[in-house]
């Protein structure tokens, strides 16, 4: 008699990750991906309808974020093995996800075959309530890189750029590229946008528009005082909005000064 497959749901705004994760987990015939999505509201409904045994999700979803979904699952009292696959490396994010029921937390980008191995182990150890934090992956990341990731996240949260919009990821990548190669800011349309577009499998024009939108969201939220406090000087007022390049350069310069 053929073994029953484990029902799996994958939730991530990056469709490339969704496709690749689905392929890895379905290859050995042990798992069946019963749904994929990128919206937290849809995810809550899917979990209620499909009752999966395993959920792999990012925290930065559209609609409800990952923490709200974790709270929904807790309220539904669903027996699902929850795995967080996220770029957020802050201890606060990790601890909160674990406290809300996640059994495993790993930092993007993670080798998906290793991710599957860890999920297999969780299934085998179903009766073990001790959550696993992927310290191995975290420790392998360069400490300075982790500190920069943390600081960028703090700045974006402070100035009011929400993590669930596409421009957040693009802007984050742009700042990191500008830190690694400061001269790239002088070739923003020819090098920076195309580099980000290639990584996220999109177009340079979409990258530019999404970053513009992310910056406008921050200004629309009227957190100008927070923005000026971050940089230590009065850089802008409510009637001034920086260009994409100006904002990226400003954040990158602060990172390089802080971690010189």
């Amino acid at each position: 008699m053929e073994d029953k497959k484990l029902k799996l749901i994958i939730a991530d705004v990056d469709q490339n990750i969704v496709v690749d994760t689905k392929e890895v987990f379905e290859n050995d015939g042990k798992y069946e991906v019963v749904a994929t999505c990128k919206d937290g509201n849809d995810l809550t409904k899917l979990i209620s309808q499909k009752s999966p045994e395993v959920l792999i999700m990012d925290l930065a979803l559209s609609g409800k974020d990952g923490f709200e979904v974790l709270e929904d699952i807790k309220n539904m009292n669903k027996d699902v093995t929850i795995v967080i696959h996220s770029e957020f490396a802050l201890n606060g994010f990790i601890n909160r996800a674990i406290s809300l029921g996640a059994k495993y937390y790993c930092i993007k980008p993670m080798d998906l075959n290793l991710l599957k191995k860890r999920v297999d182990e969780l299934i085998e150890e179903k009766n073990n309530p001790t959550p696993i934090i992927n310290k191995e992956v975290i420790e392998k990341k360069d400490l300075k890189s982790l500190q920069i990731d943390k600081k960028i996240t703090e700045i974006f949260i402070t100035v009011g750029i929400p993590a669930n919009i596409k421009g957040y990821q693009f802007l984050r990548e742009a700042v990191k590229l500008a830190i690694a190669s400061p001269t790239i800011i002088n070739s923003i349309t020819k090098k920076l946008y195309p580099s980000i577009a290639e990584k996220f499998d999109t177009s340079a024009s979409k990258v530019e528009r999404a970053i513009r939108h992310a910056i406008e969201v921050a200004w629309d939220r009227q957190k100008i005082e927070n923005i000026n406090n971050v940089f230590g000087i009065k850089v802008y007022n409510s009637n001034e909005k920086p260009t994409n390049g100006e904002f990226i350069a400003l954040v990158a310069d602060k990172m390089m000064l802080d971690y010189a």
Side-chain angles (χ1 to χ4, degrees), residues 236-251:
Y236 299 106
N237 61 48
S238 59
N239 296 319
E240 296 174 322
K241 291 181 184 177
T243 65
N244 290 4
E246 287 171 347
F247 188 79
I248 292 165
L250 197 61
V251 177

Side-chain angles (χ1 to χ4, degrees), residues 15-236:
Q15 290 307 293
N16 291 324
I17 289 179
V18 171
V19 170
D20 292 344
T21 305
K22 179 178 180 180
E23 181 179 358
V24 167
F25 275 82
E26 288 193 333
N27 268 349
D28 70 352
K30 183 178 178 180
Y31 299 89
E32 177 190 3
V33 178
V34 294
T36 65
C37 69
K38 59 183 179 180
D39 183 276
N41 293 302
D42 293 340
L43 179 55
T44 295
K45 294 174 185 176
L46 286 167
I47 292 166
S48 177
Q49 295 166 358
K50 303 288 186 180
S51 296
E53 282 87 8
V54 181
L55 167 64
I56 299 174
M57 73 174 206
D58 195 353
L59 292 175
L61 301 173
S62 58
K64 289 183 178 179
D65 64 28
F67 292 121
E68 291 177 287
V69 173
L70 288 172
E71 290 169 353
D72 288 342
I73 296 171
K74 197 170 185 179
N75 292 333
M76 286 189 281
N77 199 28
K78 290 285 187 180
D79 183 18
V80 52
T81 298
I82 304 167
V83 174
I84 305 298
H85 187 205
S86 175
E87 287 188 345
F88 298 127
L90 296 173
N91 286 334
F93 284 85
I94 296 171
N95 293 334
R96 185 179 177 193
I98 295 299
S99 70
L100 287 172
K103 296 298 182 184
Y104 185 75
Y105 195 112
C106 58
I107 310 301
K108 288 181 178 178
M110 182 179 184
D111 181 275
L112 294 177
N113 289 303
L114 178 58
L115 175 59
K116 181 184 174 298
K117 180 181 178 182
R118 296 292 184 253
V119 174
D120 288 341
E121 292 169 353
L122 285 171
I123 297 301
E124 291 174 4
E125 300 169 3
K126 184 73 174 179
N127 294 324
N128 182 359
T130 305
I132 302 171
I133 299 175
N134 190 6
K135 292 181 180 177
E136 177 185 359
V137 174
I138 295 175
E139 289 168 358
K140 282 183 178 178
K141 292 194 74 175
D142 180 76
L143 178 60
K144 184 176 180 181
S145 176
L146 277 176
Q147 290 172 333
I148 289 173
D149 285 346
K150 178 181 178 181
K151 189 64 178 179
I152 293 173
T153 298
E154 289 174 352
I155 288 176
F156 286 1
I157 291 173
T158 300
V159 304
I161 300 175
N164 62 352
I165 61 174
K166 197 65 176 178
Y168 179 98
Q169 301 295 340
F170 293 163
L171 193 52
R172 184 188 186 90
E173 186 67 20
V175 171
K176 292 166 77 172
L177 286 172
I179 293 170
S181 179
T183 58
I184 200 171
I185 206 70
N186 299 321
S187 303
I188 191 166
T189 57
K190 291 184 178 180
K191 292 183 180 179
L192 191 142
Y193 292 152
S195 296
I196 299 170
E198 183 178 1
K199 178 175 180 178
F200 290 91
D201 192 27
T202 186
S203 68
S205 61
K206 288 182 179 178
V207 169
E208 180 179 12
R209 289 196 299 270
I211 289 177
R212 181 78 241 145
H213 172 67
I215 294 171
E216 288 177 349
V217 166
W219 257 252
D220 289 343
R221 290 184 172 191
Q222 293 295 306
K223 292 196 174 184
I224 309 303
E225 184 178 344
N226 289 1
I227 292 166
N228 289 325
N229 286 338
V230 164
F231 299 111
I233 56 174
K234 187 174 181 180
V235 185
Y236 299 106

